[in-house]
Amino acid sequence: MRATANNGSYRDRRSMKHVLDNVHGYIYLEPLFLQFIDTEQFQRLRDLKQLGLTHMVYPGAAHSRFEHSLGVYWLAGEAVNKINFYQGQELGIEEFDRNTVKLAGLLHDIGHGPFSHMFEREFLPRVLDGYDWSHEDMSLKMIDYIVDKHCIDIDSAILKTAKEMILASSEHGPQKSMTEKRFLYDIVANGRTEIDVDKFDYIVRDSRACGIGSGFQFERLMETMRVMDDEICYRANEYLTLHKLFATRADLHRTVYTHPKVKAIELMVVDALCYANADLGIAASIQKPSEFWKLDDSILKWIETSDSDSPSLKEAKNLIQRIRKRDLYQYCNQFSVPKDKLENFKDITPQDIICSQVQNKSGGVTLKEEDVAVSTVKIDLTRGRMNPLERINFFKDYDSSEKFQIPDDRISHLLPRFFQDRIVRVYAKKPELVGAVAEAFENYQVKTYGCKAQVHATPDKKKARKQLEYQNQNDRQ
């Protein structure tokens, strides 16, 4: 009844549970980690979709943070086991290390709010001006809350180090308590090179759920990685595999996570949450883990079925009803910010758009700020305008003791020379205003850049169709 792990220790399968994951196959859950999994706070992750509102455009993207967290837990353990198998004696990896990394992988997303990153990046800044909040910081508070509430028996050193690992990629992460084995901090949330098992899992899982092919194979990296000078390094012949990791992530951001209709729905949900916040105290829940864990994606149904006669809640309900009926904010057009303007780029606001309206060309329509929504999408390879591969160290083969960096042009002249896009999209909140908003957006581009930066004009057919749909709707009423 006992299985031998890669580090030579034995594990009693009678005390473990196993689940069949659609990405990694059988995942074994050990008693230490089941103490956290079998709590209502961790089970809440079943009610948080991994990709937020993306399932309303890609119906298959209905997977949750629960299975992603199990996947990261499993890969974190596999990574430690791989390193231990090849370098265990040299590095002195112990059971403490393995448990700490796996716990960090399991709990790294326990502090996420509803609708993926939209909650912290779009909603909270609107209602809590200047308040600095991150799901990583909330994860640490949730972990402490779970341990206290459920009287979990765990080594305090494991808990402390796991929390540090969760914050390892954060700019405000704490000073690491380990003076050696720093490479363990790079497995779950890698602040040094951005290569970690969190990305390994979500890139494969999200691609599969959305029906998008992915040529990225994390297994190659797991098998060939090597610790040198307390840092995880990769064989030089895996350079293009690593490039594929970053490129695939960027493609997912472009085609899935920031799809124009996904962003339209997100803009509407943010507006709905802002209307409902005063009545339901949504943002206030981030102050107390005891309240925060009750908040999940069902908040929309909560708003929708509320009996309150509050005017602001009625506005929120109307927006949710529009989403249900696919009466979305209308995408008008977009442009990619010119490369030479990126460094000093400032976010464009609805006020910028309406101030660019030329009255005599808008059919008598006078736009107001509340008629327009602007979404600025940033897509990069994880390091802004820098090449993330410049920070990675490689080695020639397993006999060599030298690590080195590789310039792009030593590998291929087909690799990109620029690493970031900023795309500005404009939406009309009412379908009859598509034409006026599109024209004002064009005027803004000419005024700002001296030309129209968008690829093509908003189709006349779309402007006319939306106007006709609006007129027909009024006639029926």
Side-chain angles (χ1 to χ4, degrees), residues 115-268:
F115 312 117
S116 192
H117 293 278
M118 187 206 81
F119 182 80
E120 64 183 293
R121 295 177 183 172
E122 307 293 337
F123 167 64
L124 288 181
R126 286 263 302 266
V127 296
L128 300 174
D129 187 31
Y131 189 81
D132 188 17
W133 187 92
S134 73
H135 74 270
E136 291 94 349
D137 289 329
M138 194 68 204
S139 290
L140 270 56
K141 296 177 183 177
M142 287 292 293
I143 291 169
D144 289 338
Y145 175 72
I146 293 170
V147 170
D148 292 341
K149 181 174 177 59
H150 297 279
C151 302
I152 292 176
D153 183 19
I154 186 172
D155 184 342
S156 60
I158 289 179
L159 202 63
K160 179 178 185 294
T161 309
K163 291 193 291 185
E164 291 175 354
M165 288 178 176
I166 290 171
L167 287 181
S169 64
S170 169
E171 293 180 1
H172 308 292
Q175 193 69 29
K176 301 172 180 59
S177 60
M178 283 186 174
T179 56
E180 55 183 19
K181 300 181 187 175
R182 298 286 293 272
F183 66 90
L184 293 172
Y185 286 83
D186 297 338
I187 291 175
V188 173
N190 191 337
R192 286 200 275 190
T193 66
E194 305 293 340
I195 304 167
D196 49 51
V197 296
D198 180 27
K199 293 183 184 64
F200 290 179
D201 184 84
Y202 77 65
I203 286 175
V204 176
R205 194 176 299 277
D206 296 354
S207 297
R208 183 171 299 185
C210 296
I212 295 174
S214 169
F216 169 63
Q217 295 178 304
F218 69 82
E219 297 88 349
R220 291 181 62 92
L221 300 178
M222 295 272 282
E223 187 61 40
T224 60
M225 63 185 176
R226 176 185 176 193
V227 176
M228 302 176 71
D229 298 331
D230 218 9
E231 176 185 10
I232 297 176
C233 304
Y234 299 89
R235 288 193 70 176
N237 60 6
E238 296 301 336
Y239 187 95
L240 292 178
T241 304
L242 289 166
H243 179 267
K244 177 71 74 174
L245 162 68
F246 297 118
T248 303
R249 176 186 172 276
D251 286 343
L252 282 168
H253 274 270
R254 187 182 300 277
T255 59
V256 176
Y257 309 152
T258 65
H259 185 286
K261 273 198 166 48
V262 171
K263 296 306 292 184
I265 297 167
E266 285 186 357
L267 288 166
M268 296 181 77

Side-chain angles (χ1 to χ4, degrees), residues 270-316:
V270 170
D271 283 349
L273 293 179
C274 289
Y275 278 124
N277 183 57
D279 291 279
L280 301 182
I282 301 168
S285 67
I286 68 173
Q287 305 295 338
K288 295 182 179 179
S290 59
E291 295 300 319
F292 180 78
W293 80 266
K294 303 171 187 176
L295 190 63
D296 56 42
D297 290 355
S298 65
I299 184 67
L300 292 188
K301 183 63 71 176
W302 186 17
I303 295 170
E304 206 171 7
T305 57
S306 170
D307 295 328
S308 172
D309 293 327
S310 162
S312 58
L313 266 182
K314 286 183 179 179
E315 292 287 350

Side-chain angles (χ1 to χ4, degrees), residues 63-127:
H63 56 301
S64 72
R65 292 206 173 269
F66 181 85
E67 52 257 49
H68 168 63
S69 295
L70 295 187
V72 177
Y73 152 86
W74 182 249
L75 286 182
E78 290 295 283
V80 175
N81 287 341
K82 287 285 186 186
I83 294 171
N84 184 63
F85 183 78
Y86 294 112
Q87 297 180 267
Q89 188 172 359
E90 168 194 347
L91 299 172
I93 294 175
E94 302 170 347
E95 188 71 3
F96 174 92
D97 304 322
R98 177 183 171 279
N99 287 337
T100 302
V101 174
K102 291 191 77 170
L103 188 65
L106 182 70
L107 302 178
H108 77 288
D109 272 352
I110 195 73
H112 249 291
F115 312 117
S116 192
H117 293 278
M118 187 206 81
F119 182 80
E120 64 183 293
R121 295 177 183 172
E122 307 293 337
F123 167 64
L124 288 181
R126 286 263 302 266
V127 296

